[in-house]
Amino acid sequence: MPEVAEQARWTRARLGRCGPPLDLLTARFDKHVYAPHAHAEFTIGVCVGGSEVIDYRGGRVYNGPGSIVVLAPGEMHTGRPATPTDGYAYRALYADPSLLADGTLGTGTPHFRDAVLDDPELAAALRRVHTDLAGRPDPLEAESRLPWLLTALSHRHSTARPAPDRIPGSHGISLLVRDRLADELTAPPSLAALASDLGLSRYQLLRAFRTTMGVPPYAWLAQYRVTRARALLDSGVRPAEAAALVGFADQAHLTRWFRRVLGVTPAAYRNSVQDPARS
């Protein structure tokens, strides 16, 4: 890996509005060596360059690009380049054990026999969500995507038994959640609060919603916001104002989703439908 300046950047996401924090680390090191330490949360990382060696559970584990590292809460570990000439780069998140237990049977913390996992599909998904949230830590997006992937991690690689996927009343649950999101589009409620109101776990709510709607809650709400923004643009509202009125973080956030859904930018759309008499 070519030599670059060592760097580490922390981002704090929230799992839902007023929800608990979850920290994300983006790091690239040439020579940095971590002292032995432990975290109260699960450490879940994806190597994106170089190679690293970690002292863990009385042994040493090695990881390279595309591998997932899972370190259990309270377990002492280190981290350093695997070779004198090779640095290492990774994306990591620090997840409360309850996030990995949701969607599994029993009340214990999931146990991972292996610290380094070979799962290219899940590694790519974790890297994508980390990159997206580190750049724009939207609370509903974080709560829709991260718990889902962490449950998948437990299902695929821990000794915990998966809970049944079938959620009775999924259709009705999804409609209730959809309506709440639509009614509160500028400040959507947390999924954890909605799930609690319905007597469900967050994983059950996510499973029900995705099964019925075909997309996670944050994606449904973003598309609904685009529909509302489109009507505002039709009436002459400027894109920046429309973004704020429908709950997007800013005009750039609106533009990303507007292009995904309609294929053009909000400004280009507004210009194409603008009544010449009002120009």
Side-chain angles (χ1 to χ4, degrees), residues 10 71 79 84 104 106 109 121 131 169 171 189 216 230-231 236 255 261 264:
W10 289 83
L71 307 177
T104 66
T109 299
E121 179 187 28
T131 299
H171 185 74
R230 182 180 181 183
T255 297
V261 176
V264 297

Side-chain angles (χ1 to χ4, degrees), residues 45 63 76 97 105 110-111 117 125 144 156 177 212 215 226 228-229 240-241 249 266 271:
N63 73 93
M76 298 295 291
L105 296 175
H111 175 69
L117 308 173
S144 295
R156 294 187 186 190
V177 174
T212 302
V215 292
V226 166
R228 294 287 297 271
E241 185 181 359
N271 290 339

Side-chain angles (χ1 to χ4, degrees), residues 182-183 185 223-233 242 245-246:
D183 289 344
L185 80 167
Q223 294 181 48
Y224 180 73
R225 285 169 167 167
V226 166
T227 300
R228 294 287 297 271
R230 182 180 181 183
L232 292 172
L233 295 171
L245 289 172
V246 301

Side-chain angles (χ1 to χ4, degrees), residues 61 119 135:
V61 295
D119 189 331

Side-chain angles (χ1 to χ4, degrees), residues 6 15 19 36 72 75 85 89 96 102 141 156 162 185 198 201 204 206 224 242:
E6 296 196 337
L15 297 175
E75 293 273 7
T85 58
D96 187 271
D102 197 8
E141 182 174 357
R156 294 187 186 190
L185 80 167
L198 295 168
S201 71
Q204 289 174 316
L206 283 167
Y224 180 73

Side-chain angles (χ1 to χ4, degrees), residues 139-151:
L140 183 64
E141 182 174 357
E143 196 179 19
S144 295
R145 296 177 70 182
L146 280 173
W148 185 260
L149 290 180
L150 296 177
T151 296

Side-chain angles (χ1 to χ4, degrees), residues 83-151:
T83 70
T85 58
D86 193 16
Y88 60 107
Y90 65 97
R91 310 285 185 267
L93 59 87
Y94 300 85
D96 187 271
S98 63
L99 291 171
L100 284 88
D102 197 8
T104 66
L105 296 175
T107 58
T109 299
H111 175 69
F112 293 81
R113 294 191 181 98
D114 299 318
V116 178
L117 308 173
D118 181 21
D119 189 331
E121 179 187 28
L122 188 54
L126 286 167
R127 182 175 180 177
R128 282 194 300 271
V129 72
H130 189 289
T131 299
D132 290 346
L133 294 176
R136 187 188 65 257
D138 177 81
L140 183 64
E141 182 174 357
E143 196 179 19
S144 295
R145 296 177 70 182
L146 280 173
W148 185 260
L149 290 180
L150 296 177
T151 296

